[in-house]
């Protein structure tokens, strides 16, 4: 008995000692696993079955920053922890992480055991900003040579695949920093930092010096936060020498040294790297170039007030995030294909509320309507001209004598705003109005802001990091503007413009602005969305805004690409920028069709008008369709009958697509879907498809190939391999199964193709509003060659009853072998549902075109097509 007791005592002591050793290097604390390393602590937060958040901290660590990106999740995740000799593994059903206890580095695995992401190293270096102690956080990951990476938001550098590219993630006009990266290797990384972030930072720097003598001097008209004004710009030449030690691919980033650039230009030897001009540009731009070893003359033709630097590094097998202002290294890893990653991202940062249905029609804007009468007359002409439209926009300066963003109409020009809105509603049209985060201190609203210290010091931007300032802003917004029945809100310049957080204390002068530098748009739109949900609870929110940040998708926001130029190069960059934006998890995006800054002779210049039409035709297949232009009457009839006719055709297609687009918008909200889809989302194993920068899928069925060059007769299109091949959207003719094909470049449309198995619900006739398109008779096209399925979604369109389960869906399925379409029983109900619908069915195959008509009453029906 004594031997047993002694043996048991020894075993118990040994178990206790092992447990103590375990606890010495790792333990569980609340919802996180803590791993002790020699130089700090690693925190792991299992967020979903395929999502792990990682923090590396150095004591003392108080985790003092507010959590704005992630939503609260009470559901605990099931995970296991396994210890081996020199490793510790954290296992979830959809992802696992293995920590090397010798060097502290983490490797992430798919459920199948495949390595998806590996740390290469990290740094947490003490630093200081505005005399406040902080850290510079840096994280390095291994990136294989063949990898493709996407995301980071919207940039003007023209790169969709950002692997190896150096970018500076800041919020400025035409650039949106969303530090979400997605790889074709099956992972996504969300870098959790509110401040400036350098992606693949280049530590080698070349400062360019001015060559005396100056250059061309010109006066240009610009937009600013004080309205339109003129600015004198003088070209200047800067130069230096660059020593390239080794031949290879180099990432080059030009920083002009101002808050906004006016032009990009850089020549290395005889190779021009950048050559782009616009009234406003982001302060940095990037490219990857091949350089031979040697010494090069570097010349930049820029603007006199620039102080240019060139950052360069050889492209290597690493991906690096670096934030100069941080509390810790903090990132989240998602495992899966692109759709799964975006689904998981929205599960932890917030799902997307449904936009009102009318937001998916045509949004007409110009800079600007000058009076109530002018706006209403334009709306009437749209209706009398049979040009479909759902939203008309009042841009800035309607406040007139009351001061910038006074939240008040100048009655000299807008004598009855409520009546104006009512008249638009009588025409089945909605009003969007420009509201800023900047307020004139001399206005009534501004006086209160000033008195209470609610401005960011030294500016007239509202300090939304101060809850009292945000509350005061909304109080005035609500009491002064909601009474008119305005339908949608244009939150302009939410970066804030001019990078005005830098060097200033915010959050009631308690925190350096650099800490929250990129998060301002998140707080602005949070304030407006939550206020609208509270004060106008029965009306769906629609906010158009110029900047974004992770998590902002939950605030019913759409972004547009800012004050861009108008030429072909700019059009190409907007398409790429939009694809980068949507794959970053922000689904609602658009641009100023035709460009914001336009040529003076735009109404008569046939060269510009060709480009304008391609902007408009591409906009048909964007998440939102709108036109805008600085100092421009953008109405189509101002450009002559030919362009008006082409625009009418484009609008007609947009409105016929409404049942398809609205059903896809339901997938965005209910299933965390994405409407505008870079080809990596659907053809990840096709490297040619993945490399296409301008082609994309629009929903599950449509392949869009915008024409982005002038005066072309034919256009080269890449067709990814799909069962049954592709059909021409415009004439239903079978086109190709796989590979490149030259197609005609028609003037009246851009190339669009339908995947075999695709089921397209389309509006019949020529609806003038989204309401007509949604509630009229439907055409349902079935493209044979593969099985297919689609879900047609219906609800009231303008309220939040869908959140209470008041909506309906109809499942459509195509059995290609049986030649049968099954229209399932309608599931669900909502007030004023249309119980009987006339469906005109069209089955399209390589060799035949068959039609049938049915009256659908909600019961399941199977339709057999006979050849």
């Amino acid at each position: 008995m004594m031997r047993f007791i002694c043996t048991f005592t020894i075993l118990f002591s040994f178990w206790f000692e092992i447990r103590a050793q375990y606890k010495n290097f790792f333990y569980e604390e609340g919802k996180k696993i803590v791993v002790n390393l020699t130089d700090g602590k690693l925190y792991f937060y299992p967020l979903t079955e395929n999502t792990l958040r990682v923090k590396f901290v150095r004591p003392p660590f108080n985790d003092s920053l507010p959590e704005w990106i992630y939503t609260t999740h009470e559901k605990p995740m099931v995970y296991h922890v396994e210890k081996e000799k020199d490793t510790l593994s954290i296992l979830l059903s959809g992802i696992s992480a293995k920590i090397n206890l010798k060097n502290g580095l983490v490797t992430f695995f798919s459920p199948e055991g495949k390595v998806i992401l590996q740390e290469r190293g990290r740094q947490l270096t003490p630093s200081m900003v505005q005399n406040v102690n902080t850290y510079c956080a840096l994280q390095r990951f291994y990136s294989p040579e063949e990898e493709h990476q996407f995301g980071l938001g919207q940039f003007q550098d023209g790169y969709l695949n950002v692997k190896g590219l150096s970018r500076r993630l800041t919020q400025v006009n035409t650039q949106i920093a969303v530090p979400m990266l997605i790889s074709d290797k099956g992972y996504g990384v969300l870098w959790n930092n509110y401040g400036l972030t350098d992606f693949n930072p280049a530590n080698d720097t070349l400062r360019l010096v001015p060559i005396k003598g100056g250059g061309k001097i010109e006066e240009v008209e610009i937009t600013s936060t004080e309205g339109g004004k003129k600015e004198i710009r003088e070209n200047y030449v800067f130069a230096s020498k660059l020593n390239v030690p080794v031949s290879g691919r180099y990432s080059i980033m030009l920083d002009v040294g101002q808050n906004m650039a006016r032009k990009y230009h850089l020549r290395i030897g005889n190779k021009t790297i950048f050559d782009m001009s616009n009234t406003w540009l982001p302060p940095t731009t990037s490219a990857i170039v091949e350089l031979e070893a040697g010494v090069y003359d570097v010349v930049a033709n820029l603007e006199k007030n620039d102080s240019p630097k060139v950052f360069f590094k050889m492209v290597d097998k690493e991906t690096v995030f670096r934030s100069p202002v941080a509390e810790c290294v903090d990132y989240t890893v998602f495992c899966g294909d692109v759709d799964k990653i975006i689904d998981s991202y929205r599960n932890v940062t917030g799902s997307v509320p449904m936009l009102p249905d009318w937001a998916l029609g045509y949004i007409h804007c110009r800079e600007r309507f000058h009076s109530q009468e002018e706006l209403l007359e334009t709306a009437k002409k749209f209706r009398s001209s049979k040009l479909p439209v759902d939203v008309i926009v009042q841009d800035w300066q309607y406040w007139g004598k009351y001061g910038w963003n006074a939240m008040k109409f100048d009655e000299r020009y807008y004598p009855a705003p409520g009546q104006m809105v009512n008249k638009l509603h009588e025409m089945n049209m909605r009003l969007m109005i420009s509201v800023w985060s900047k307020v004139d201190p001399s206005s009534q609203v501004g006086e209160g802001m000033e008195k209470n210290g609610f401005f960011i010091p030294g500016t007239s931007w509202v300090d939304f990091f101060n809850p009292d300032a945000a509350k005061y802003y909304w109080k005035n917004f609500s009491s002064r503007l909601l009474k008119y029945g305005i339908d949608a809100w244009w939150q302009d310049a939410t970066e804030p413009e001019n990078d005005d957080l830098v060097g200033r204390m915010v959050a009631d002068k308690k925190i350096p602005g650099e800490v929250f530098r990129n998060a301002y748009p998140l707080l602005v739109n949070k304030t407006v969305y939550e206020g609208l949900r509270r004060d106008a609870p029965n009306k769906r929110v629609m906010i158009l805004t110029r900047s974004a940040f992770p998590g902002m998708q939950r605030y019913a926001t759409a972004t547009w690409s800012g004050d861009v130029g108008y030429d072909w190069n700019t059009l190409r960059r907007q398409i790429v920028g939009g694809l980068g934006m949507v794959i970053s998890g922000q689904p609602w995006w658009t641009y100023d069709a035709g460009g914001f800054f336009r040529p003076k002779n735009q109404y008569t210049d046939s060269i510009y008008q060709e480009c304008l039409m391609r902007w408009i035709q591409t906009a048909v297949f964007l998440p939102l369709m709108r036109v805008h232009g600085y100092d421009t009457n953008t109405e189509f009839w101002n450009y002559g009958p030919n362009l008006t006719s082409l625009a009418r055709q484009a609008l007609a297609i947009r409105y016929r697509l409404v049942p398809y687009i609205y059903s896809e918008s339901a997938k965005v909200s209910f299933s965390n879907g994405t409407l505008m889809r870079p080809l990596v989302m659907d053809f990840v194993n096709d490297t040619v498809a993945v490399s296409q920068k301008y082609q994309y899928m629009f929903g599950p069925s449509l392949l869009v190939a915008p024409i982005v060059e002038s005066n072309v007769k034919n256009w080269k299109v890449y067709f990814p391999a799909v069962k049954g091949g592709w059909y021409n959207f415009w004439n239903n003719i079978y086109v190709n199964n796989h590979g490149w094909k030259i197609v005609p470049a028609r003037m009246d449309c851009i190339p669009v193709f339908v995947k075999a198995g695709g089921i397209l619900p389309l509006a019949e006739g020529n609806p003038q509003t989204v309401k007509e398109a949604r509630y009229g008779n439907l055409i349902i096209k079935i493209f044979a060659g593969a099985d297919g399925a689609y879900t047609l979604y219906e609800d009231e369109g303008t309220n939040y009853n869908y959140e209470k389960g008041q909506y309906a869906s109809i499942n459509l399925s195509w059995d290609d072998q049986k030649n049968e379409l099954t229209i399932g029983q309608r599931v669900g109900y909502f007030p004023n549902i249309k119980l009987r619908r006339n469906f005109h069915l069209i089955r399209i195959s390589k060799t035949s075109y068959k039609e049938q008509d049915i009256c659908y009453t909600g019961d399941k029906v199977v339709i057999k097509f006979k050849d």
Side-chain angles (χ1 to χ4, degrees), residues 455-741:
F455 286 125
I456 296 172
T459 79
S460 52
W461 297 103
V462 178
D463 182 3
F464 283 92
F465 305 107
N466 178 350
D468 291 333
K471 184 177 179 181
Y472 184 80
Y473 178 88
W474 177 251
K475 177 183 176 183
N476 281 278
F477 190 124
S478 179
S479 64
R480 294 169 181 268
L481 294 174
L482 295 194
K483 60 188 176 184
Y484 299 122
I486 297 164
D487 304 286
W489 309 97
W490 187 357
Q491 297 296 141
D492 207 345
T494 49
E495 297 86 12
E497 195 168 82
N498 302 323
D499 215 357
D500 270 346
L501 294 174
V502 177
R504 297 181 166 96
M505 299 296 285
V506 299
D508 198 21
K509 305 178 181 64
K510 295 173 183 175
I511 297 177
E514 289 84 351
V515 174
F516 297 143
R517 187 172 178 180
N518 281 344
Y520 190 80
L522 182 68
L523 274 291
V524 175
N525 290 285
K526 175 181 186 290
T527 299
V528 176
Y529 174 77
E530 291 180 348
L532 288 167
R533 288 301 304 258
R534 183 175 57 251
D535 294 354
N538 297 317
K539 196 172 187 177
R540 284 190 201 174
V541 179
M542 197 278 180
I543 300 172
L544 182 65
T545 189
R546 205 172 69 186
S547 194
F549 199 66
M552 209 176 83
Q553 73 282 346
R554 63 181 179 257
Y555 298 132
T557 54
T559 53
W560 91 101
S561 63
D563 298 348
V564 299
Y566 60 83
D567 57 14
W568 293 100
N569 187 32
T570 304
L571 171 58
R572 288 191 287 270
R573 291 171 187 267
Q574 301 327 296
I575 295 169
V576 176
L579 292 172
M581 191 67 179
V582 296
I583 204 171
S584 301
Q586 308 294 319
W588 295 113
W589 177 89
T590 187
Y591 55 45
D592 292 348
F596 181 67
F597 295 108
R598 298 184 173 201
K600 293 294 184 183
N601 62 343
Q602 60 178 298
Y603 304 118
T604 57
D605 183 354
S606 60
I607 295 174
Y608 167 71
Q609 290 184 14
E610 179 197 357
C611 187
L612 168 62
M613 272 316 306
R614 296 309 190 192
W615 281 81
I616 293 169
Q617 290 163 354
T618 302
V620 170
F621 301 94
L622 296 182
L624 300 181
M625 181 184 184
R626 57 187 287 277
V627 164
H628 191 37
Y630 174 63
D631 197 22
T632 298
N633 294 341
T634 56
E635 294 77 36
F636 306 118
W637 51 80
N638 293 316
Y639 298 85
N642 183 56
L643 189 136
T644 303
S645 175
L646 290 172
R648 182 178 285 106
Q649 293 178 58
L651 291 171
I653 294 301
R654 177 72 181 194
Y655 278 77
R656 286 174 200 151
L657 282 167
V658 160
Y660 177 76
I661 295 172
Y662 193 64
S663 295
E664 290 305 304
S665 78
K667 292 180 186 177
V668 169
S669 296
F670 284 83
S671 308
N672 293 325
T674 302
L675 173 56
M676 183 183 185
R677 304 171 61 81
L679 295 187
V680 68
M681 298 187 74
D682 296 287
F683 309 102
V684 66
N685 296 317
D686 185 335
T687 56
V688 178
V690 167
S691 67
Q692 299 309 304
K693 298 199 300 183
Y694 310 123
Q695 291 184 207
Y696 57 90
M697 293 296 290
F698 190 62
S701 299
L702 298 180
L703 174 67
V704 182
I707 292 177
V708 293
E709 294 178 10
S710 64
N711 195 29
V712 293
K713 304 300 182 186
N714 297 292
W715 196 244
K716 191 176 182 181
V717 177
Y718 181 74
F719 293 89
V722 295
K723 183 180 179 180
W726 299 88
Y727 294 82
N728 190 313
F729 172 77
W730 305 105
N731 58 22
N732 303 318
I733 295 174
Y734 180 80
V735 180
N736 199 6
N737 181 45
H738 178 224
W740 291 99
K741 185 175 177 65

